[in-house]
Amino acid sequence: GSIMIGFIAAALTTISFIPQAYKVIKTKDTTGISLGMYILFVLGVLLWLIHGIQVQDWPLILSNSITFVLSSIILAFKIKYK
């Protein structure tokens, strides 16, 4: 039911970051990435993670934990190699 939709949605949106993170780590090229947008995105993901923990919603917790790590790596590369 509803929780399965949550897990599928979480999996798809989380998996979508893997190719971008891989490309950034491999090439160190972040020229096409907006620093301001990524700062806001990482903060938003962190807040979703905190919210998921507060309401004990496992799809939110798992997906946002992984997305936070991947997007933070991309942000760190953007800051380091700009």
Side-chain angles (χ1 to χ4, degrees), residues 4 14 21 38 42 45-46 48 64 70-71:
M4 187 53 78
T14 300
Y38 246 79
V42 170
V45 170
L46 178 61
W48 274 116
N64 285 293
L70 294 173
S71 60

Side-chain angles (χ1 to χ4, degrees), residues 11 15 20-21 25 33 36-37 40 42-43 55 60 67 78 80:
I15 290 167
Q20 185 69 58
I25 292 166
I33 296 172
M37 177 269 179
L40 293 175
V42 170
L43 290 174
V55 299
L60 283 178
T67 302
K78 178 65 179 175
K80 184 174 181 178

Side-chain angles (χ1 to χ4, degrees), residues 26-75:
K26 186 175 179 177
T27 67
K28 297 178 180 51
D29 179 15
T30 61
T31 55
I33 296 172
S34 165
L35 178 60
M37 177 269 179
Y38 246 79
I39 290 170
L40 293 175
F41 182 77
V42 170
L43 290 174
V45 170
L46 178 61
L47 292 175
W48 274 116
L49 173 57
I50 292 168
H51 172 70
I53 292 168
Q54 289 176 338
V55 299
Q56 296 186 351
D57 184 320
W58 284 103
L60 283 178
I61 294 167
L62 293 173
S63 64
N64 285 293
S65 294
I66 296 166
T67 302
F68 180 74
V69 169
L70 294 173
S71 60
S72 293
I73 290 169
I74 294 169
L75 179 60

